[in-house]
Amino acid sequence: MEPAWRQQGRGRGRGQGGQGERSRPPQKERERPGATGPVTVKRGGGGGGGGGGGKTNYITSTQPEQSVSSQSKFEEIKKSNQAAAQRLVQIHYSSSSDDDDDEDADGEMDTKDGKRGKIVASTFTTYTDQTGGDVCGLDRTGRYVSDLFQSGGVTCLICIASVKRTQAVWSCSSCFSLFHIPCIQKWARDSVFLVSSVTDEDFGQKQHPWPCPKCRAEYPPTATPNRYVCYCGKVEDPPVDPWILPHSCGLVCDKHIKPSCGHRCLLLCHPGPCPPCPKMVSVSCMCGKATPLPRRCSNKAWSCQQRCGKMLPCRQHTCDQPCHAGVCASCPRVSIQKCVCGREQAERECSRPTWTCQQVCGAVLSCGNHTCDRVCHGGVCGPCPRSGERACPCGKSKSSLPCTEDVMTCGDTCDAPLACGIHTCSMRCHRGHCETCRQEVEKECRCGRYRRVLSCHKEYLCDSKCPKTRTCQRHQCRRKCCPGNCPPCDQSCGRTLGCRNHKCPSVCHQGSCYPCPQTVEVRCVCGSTILIVPCGRERSTKPPRCKELCRSPPSCHHSSQESHRCHPESCPPCRQPCLLPLPHCSHTCPLSCHDMVLVKTQQVQLAGPWEQPSEPAFVKKALPCPPCQVPIPTGCFGGHEVSPVPCHSRGPFSCKRPCGRPLTCGNHSCSRECHTVTASNKTEVGEECEVCEEGCSKPRPPGCPHPCSLPCHRDNCPPCRQMIRLRCHCKMSLIYVECMKLTSADWETKVQLSSCNNQCPKELCCGHRCKGVCHPGVCEERCQQRVKVRCPCKRIRKEFPCAKSREEQSLVECDDTCRDQQKKANLLKEAEERAAQEEEQRKLQVELEAFEKRQKGRRRERRGRREEVEEEGGRWRRYGVFLLPLCGVLLASVAYYLLI
């Protein structure tokens, strides 16, 4: 098994997405829209509700209002960032891991504590309903439940990593510790493999158990976890629900309560041991004399406090103790009792009536020659041990002799097996032990490498050292003349444990060391709250949340800081009013304390990622107090208004309005921006007011387009002498008229002045030019110019006035000559039409004959030649159809004009 710091995704600080607090980008500067003067804007950093890492900057903004499009873009980006943060929280949500962000604000912490309290209360509701709210029996189970919500409270002892809400885990049924499913599976495989490789001759044939990493409780190989189930084992792969305990199914536990009482656990699926049975049962007292009473099943044994009175094992006294459980205790009284042989008496406890003295019996045996050598005993001493048939020392001959005589040696060879187990004793029958075997034999050393002749009783050990590796697979045996069964390694393991603080105290072994059994206390800053974590987790475990108030001294000029809870990092920025006296006035600074504000430093452009910045991105600095913003009522220069002005810029000011004082011309007022005026009266013009440089703006006579040539004045304007250029009525000539004459003349005079006295160039509707002099309006429509008029056949021609020719249509009629010519033209036209019809008939006949010839089936070449010839002749016929009538019409026209 690899050490924890090498395991990808399970070591401390690796593979745990979102661990630690992510650095938050500082919030952009915001300007107050619609500001017209210097405005102080407070800008906050990226800190949360608790103010962690926040900053306050004061800037003076004079920029105009931001556009609506920029504001809408900002809102869209804000919504997208909130959605991304929500998805990140859902992916990395864990109730017991290092990446839980600490709440800086007391309100947020209270909200989360209230949520956890509701979840724990819902888990214990069924139990407290049975006990009437008594939670004394839930202490041990409550600790397991509370550890699930504590950051770093639940740790896998194999990989030394936090157990997250979304990870598959396995719980030991003995010590109730939680382990990751992959970790415990690898632990079980490695443990079985190591035991099999050391103790099993037929590797893999026996089923060896594997131990729990913490309590060493043994489990069979078939109990290796391969499924992720809840604590009660009812639901496989329990869903993640933020309103129930992590890794719990939310159903009733329903396990048999231990010690077994016939009832089942009433809590919702929970970690740790089931609490004592809360059921009420009716039981009698332990001695059985009292009337049965209702008692809690987990505490149903009770005493009536009456004397027990049961007969004790001494059969002389009764039990004097009050009602108790189990067997009565030994009799505590003493009495004078005799020993087993009855020679001595002593005062002893009644619970031990049998005892022996240290005197030898000494009674004469039945032979009358010897005495009993047994220590104090009861009953008959028994026969004499020297009576009856007895054997010689080697056991080959037997004889019956009186008990007073010893049996003699038989003189035969002893032949008793010696200590070597190979040879026998060669001495004659003798008393006592046989001597050592001294025969010379060829012996093999213990390791089997060498042979040598030496005495049988001596052991032959060679000087070669065993090169084999011991069971630890780290050290060599190095024992002289080792027979192959190398002993276990007796050296200390000494490897650094996963905690990286201690070394393994066990004897050198193979495989991974057991987790460090020690625990470490992680304290909060003030030391009031303690969190006990496995050794090695103290470096990655955040200090526990402490409900005590922070005791750190303030880092600003205030004598005390705001009340907030104990926290591991630096205190949040002080939000108390600054209240330092401002310079040049008697007011105090009303803004929040700005003695320690995070200010972004000027970062130097790095050449690449291998370079490290020389200074941090943000440093804490004390910002000066901003200018005093207390409003002071102040009048403007021109006395137009009295407005509140910030204290730092108090004094007369310009209200940006026009001055409005009347100028010397009497027609205009001063248009300069509000300014200082030396005149005492508000209606008088001061030296600082502007001088009127505009022209005369009085109204001109009707029709005069020219301005007055004089500067702005009080009296009436003089008559206009400028010449007006205008077009005559016919728009052909330019006429120059004095402006005063034109504007003061009547209508007839204006018509004469606007006329050029030339003939009107306009055309009448008949197309002839108007004969009148340049005049306004529409020309006379009756034209008197003479025009030529013809008869309908165009032969007779006469002259009439243009107006008369338009009024009367038939002024000239045709005579007999005209009618004769018309008849001739009609006859000629009929002749042409008949000629055209005949030509059309002939053309159709020719085409019909050509079609019939093509149907005769002649050869292709002759037919092609004939078609070419016919095509040439057809062209002339085709064009002749149109040319002949045309020629006829031309000849008829020529003849008609000649006859005329």
Side-chain angles (χ1 to χ4, degrees):
M1 184 183 298
E2 296 180 356
W5 58 275
R6 288 198 175 199
Q7 296 176 0
Q8 293 290 338
R10 296 184 296 175
R12 44 182 91 80
R14 300 187 63 179
Q16 302 177 6
Q19 286 188 356
E21 294 185 353
R22 298 180 179 268
S23 60
R24 301 177 180 175
Q27 188 177 357
K28 295 182 179 179
E29 297 181 4
R30 299 180 181 178
E31 298 175 356
R32 188 178 68 183
T36 57
V39 179
T40 301
V41 180
K42 182 176 180 180
R43 179 178 64 184
K55 62 180 182 179
T56 304
N57 292 344
Y58 302 95
I59 59 175
T60 301
S61 172
T62 57
Q63 298 182 359
E65 181 180 1
Q66 295 181 348
S67 63
V68 179
S69 60
S70 300
Q71 186 68 19
S72 61
K73 290 181 180 178
F74 174 78
E75 294 296 335
E76 292 177 0
I77 296 173
K78 180 180 178 181
K79 291 179 181 178
S80 63
N81 290 342
Q82 291 176 352
Q86 185 67 20
R87 290 194 298 270
L88 186 63
V89 169
Q90 293 176 357
I91 293 174
H92 297 283
Y93 178 71
S94 173
S95 64
S96 56
S97 64
D98 296 344
D99 53 7
D100 290 339
D101 292 333
D102 291 338
E103 293 80 12
D104 294 330
D106 294 345
E108 295 180 4
M109 184 179 293
D110 293 340
T111 302
K112 181 155 286 189
D113 290 344
K115 179 180 177 182
R116 293 171 181 169
K118 291 180 181 178
I119 297 175
V120 175
S122 64
T123 306
F124 296 154
T125 299
T126 54
Y127 185 90
T128 54
D129 291 345
Q130 295 284 338
T131 61
D134 185 11
V135 293
C136 296
L138 297 174
D139 293 341
R140 187 179 178 191
T141 307
R143 286 196 298 270
Y144 284 95
V145 174
S146 61
D147 286 346
L148 290 176
F149 294 103
Q150 182 64 47
S151 176
V154 181
T155 304
C156 176
L157 297 179
I158 299 176
C159 64
I160 315 298
S162 296
V163 176
K164 296 184 179 179
R165 176 187 288 266
T166 56
Q167 293 175 335
V169 296
W170 173 81
S171 177
C172 176
S173 60
S174 178
C175 62
F176 307 102
S177 297
L178 290 180
F179 304 93
H180 296 120
I181 289 286
C183 297
I184 196 65
Q185 289 176 344
K186 190 174 187 300
W187 176 273
R189 289 194 301 267
D190 293 348
S191 300
V192 173
F193 175 80
L194 293 177
V195 176
S196 300
S197 63
V198 174
T199 62
D200 197 355
E201 295 179 359
D202 299 330
F203 180 76
Q205 298 298 324
K206 295 183 180 180
Q207 297 291 330
H208 297 281
W210 54 274
C212 171
K214 183 177 181 180
C215 64
R216 305 299 192 268
E218 293 187 348
Y219 293 88
T222 56
T224 302
N226 54 9
R227 296 182 304 120
Y228 170 40
V229 295
C230 60
Y231 300 112
C232 64
K234 294 179 182 178
V235 179
E236 184 176 354
D237 296 330
V240 178
D241 191 342
W243 288 102
I244 62 176
L245 293 176
H247 318 292
S248 170
C249 63
L251 303 177
V252 178
C253 178
D254 206 29
K255 290 183 180 178
H256 287 284
I257 295 178
K258 296 180 182 180
S260 180
C261 64
H263 300 127
R264 295 177 179 268
C265 180
L266 301 177
L267 296 183
L268 300 183
C269 182
H270 63 89
C274 295
C277 182
K279 294 284 186 179
M280 299 298 292
V281 294
S282 180
V283 293
S284 181
C285 65
M286 291 178 284
C287 67
K289 296 179 180 180
T291 305
L293 297 176
R295 300 281 296 179
R296 188 75 54 77
C297 183
S298 59
N299 190 26
K300 58 186 176 182
W302 64 284
S303 174
C304 63
Q305 300 301 323
Q306 298 181 17
R307 185 174 177 274
C308 178
K310 293 181 180 180
M311 183 60 67
L312 297 178
C314 67
R315 298 298 176 180
Q316 296 180 9
H317 309 98
T318 57
C319 181
D320 295 333
Q321 294 183 0
C323 177
H324 61 85
V327 183
C328 297
S330 301
C331 184
R333 300 181 183 180
V334 295
S335 61
I336 298 176
Q337 301 175 2
K338 292 183 179 182
C339 66
V340 176
C341 64
R343 293 183 182 180
E344 295 184 4
Q345 293 182 355
E347 191 177 80
R348 294 179 55 82
E349 296 178 358
C350 286
S351 60
R352 295 188 297 171
T354 303
W355 63 286
T356 59
C357 64
Q358 299 300 322
Q359 294 184 17
V360 178
C361 179
V364 179
L365 298 178
S366 59
C367 65
N369 297 322
H370 302 94
T371 58
C372 179
D373 56 357
R374 295 170 60 188
V375 181
C376 177
H377 67 88
V380 183
C381 293
C384 179
R386 295 174 62 87
S387 62
E389 189 178 17
R390 291 180 289 170
C392 65
C394 68
K396 293 180 178 181
S397 63
K398 296 182 179 180
S399 59
S400 297
L401 295 175
C403 63
T404 57
E405 296 181 6
D406 294 331
V407 178
M408 300 299 292
T409 58
C410 64
D412 199 357
T413 306
C414 178
D415 286 336
L418 298 177
C420 65
I422 301 175
H423 306 100
T424 57
C425 180
S426 60
M427 296 175 63
R428 292 185 182 277
C429 181
H430 61 89
R431 290 182 175 86
H433 298 286
C434 298
E435 63 180 1
T436 306
C437 181
R438 298 184 181 279
Q439 293 190 25
E440 296 289 331
V441 295
E442 185 180 8
K443 280 195 171 185
E444 189 180 33
C445 66
R446 189 167 55 185
C447 65
R449 292 186 178 183
Y450 304 100
R451 290 180 175 271
R452 186 177 178 182
V453 178
L454 71 163
S455 299
C456 183
H457 70 279
K458 294 182 179 180
E459 183 181 8
Y460 176 40
L461 300 176
C462 66
D463 293 334
S464 62
K465 295 183 180 180
C466 180
K468 294 183 180 180
T469 305
R470 296 191 179 185
T471 56
C472 65
Q473 300 297 322
R474 294 176 59 193
H475 304 103
Q476 289 183 337
C477 178
R478 307 303 294 171
R479 187 175 65 164
K480 288 186 177 182
C481 196
C482 179
N485 55 344
C486 302
C489 185
D490 55 355
Q491 299 185 29
S492 177
C493 177
R495 287 185 290 184
T496 303
L497 298 178
C499 65
R500 303 175 67 181
N501 294 329
H502 305 96
K503 294 185 178 181
C504 181
S506 305
V507 178
C508 189
H509 56 86
Q510 186 180 4
S512 301
C513 301
Y514 280 94
C516 182
Q518 301 186 26
T519 58
V520 180
E521 292 182 353
V522 178
R523 296 176 177 268
C524 64
V525 177
C526 66
S528 302
T529 307
I530 300 174
L531 175 64
I532 299 177
V533 297
C535 182
R537 288 285 295 172
E538 69 275 4
R539 289 185 290 271
S540 59
T541 302
K542 295 181 181 179
R545 296 185 181 93
C546 180
K547 295 186 178 181
E548 300 292 332
L549 296 179
C550 179
R551 303 173 186 173
S552 301
S555 58
C556 59
H557 64 274
H558 294 99
S559 58
S560 62
Q561 58 181 351
E562 294 177 316
S563 298
H564 60 278
R565 292 185 179 179
C566 179
H567 54 89
E569 286 113 9
S570 58
C571 293
C574 179
R575 295 189 181 89
Q576 302 181 62
C578 178
L579 300 181
L580 288 176
L582 297 174
H584 311 298
C585 69
S586 59
H587 303 111
T588 57
C589 181
L591 301 179
S592 298
C593 181
H594 45 84
D595 286 351
M596 299 295 289
V597 179
L598 283 176
V599 180
K600 188 175 182 180
T601 58
Q602 295 292 335
Q603 293 292 330
V604 182
Q605 184 69 26
L606 302 179
W610 57 86
E611 289 192 2
Q612 297 295 330
S614 58
E615 56 182 3
F618 293 90
V619 295
K620 288 187 176 182
K621 291 184 178 180
L623 298 179
C625 294
C628 183
Q629 300 293 330
V630 176
I632 304 297
T634 307
C636 65
F637 292 120
H640 303 104
E641 65 178 19
V642 176
S643 300
V645 178
C647 180
H648 71 277
S649 59
R650 63 182 181 272
F653 65 98
S654 175
C655 63
K656 308 298 181 180
R657 298 178 183 177
C659 176
R661 294 174 180 264
L663 299 179
T664 55
C665 64
N667 299 323
H668 303 94
S669 59
C670 180
S671 61
R672 288 183 58 188
E673 189 177 304
C674 180
H675 56 88
T676 305
V677 182
T678 55
S680 59
N681 193 352
K682 295 183 178 180
T683 60
E684 295 181 0
V685 180
E687 298 178 356
E688 296 82 3
C689 294
E690 63 182 354
V691 178
C692 184
E693 297 178 354
E694 298 183 7
C696 179
S697 60
K698 290 185 177 183
R700 304 296 296 163
C704 179
H706 306 103
C708 180
S709 59
L710 300 177
C712 187
H713 56 89
R714 293 179 179 271
D715 302 331
N716 295 331
C717 299
C720 181
R721 298 296 180 180
Q722 296 189 28
M723 302 299 291
I724 296 178
R725 185 180 66 178
L726 53 99
R727 291 277 182 180
C728 64
H729 301 297
C730 59
K731 308 298 181 181
M732 297 296 292
S733 303
L734 291 175
I735 302 174
Y736 292 90
V737 182
E738 191 174 349
C739 180
M740 183 185 65
K741 293 181 179 180
L742 183 65
T743 56
S744 60
D746 54 2
W747 169 252
E748 295 181 356
T749 307
K750 286 184 178 180
V751 170
Q752 294 178 1
L753 293 175
S754 301
S755 176
C756 61
N757 298 322
N758 296 326
Q759 183 183 355
C760 180
K762 297 179 183 179
E763 290 186 357
L764 302 177
C765 57
C766 61
H768 300 116
R769 185 176 177 182
C770 179
K771 298 299 183 179
V773 182
C774 178
H775 61 86
V778 182
C779 298
E780 185 179 0
E781 290 296 332
R782 190 169 185 80
C783 181
Q784 298 299 328
Q785 187 174 350
R786 300 186 66 81
V787 294
K788 294 180 180 181
V789 180
R790 293 177 179 271
C791 66
C793 65
K794 309 297 182 182
R795 188 180 69 84
I796 303 174
R797 182 174 56 187
K798 294 182 180 180
E799 291 185 357
F800 293 95
C802 179
K804 185 177 181 181
S805 65
R806 293 177 62 191
E807 292 174 356
E808 299 180 9
Q809 297 296 331
S810 57
L811 295 177
V812 181
E813 299 291 340
C814 294
D815 54 3
D816 295 338
T817 305
C818 294
R819 284 191 286 272
D820 293 339
Q821 291 182 358
Q822 184 68 26
K823 289 180 180 179
K824 292 179 181 180
N826 292 337
L827 293 174
L828 183 61
K829 185 176 181 181
E830 291 177 358
E832 292 176 355
E833 291 178 356
R834 285 194 300 271
Q837 291 178 0
E838 292 175 358
E839 181 66 23
E840 183 68 22
Q841 292 292 333
R842 191 183 63 79
K843 180 180 177 182
L844 293 175
Q845 185 65 28
V846 172
E847 290 180 356
L848 179 62
E849 292 176 357
F851 177 75
E852 290 176 354
K853 289 180 182 181
R854 284 195 299 270
Q855 299 297 326
K856 291 180 179 181
R858 296 179 180 180
R859 284 186 290 178
R860 186 176 299 175
E861 293 180 0
R862 294 180 181 179
R863 185 172 57 203
R865 295 193 196 100
R866 188 182 68 249
E867 289 178 355
E868 291 177 0
V869 174
E870 290 178 355
E871 184 178 359
E872 292 178 359
R875 289 177 183 174
W876 290 106
R877 286 193 295 272
R878 188 181 304 115
Y879 296 131
V881 174
F882 300 101
L883 293 175
L884 289 177
L886 182 61
C887 293
V889 172
L890 293 176
L891 292 175
S893 300
V894 171
Y896 174 74
Y897 281 103
L898 291 175
L899 292 176
I900 293 175

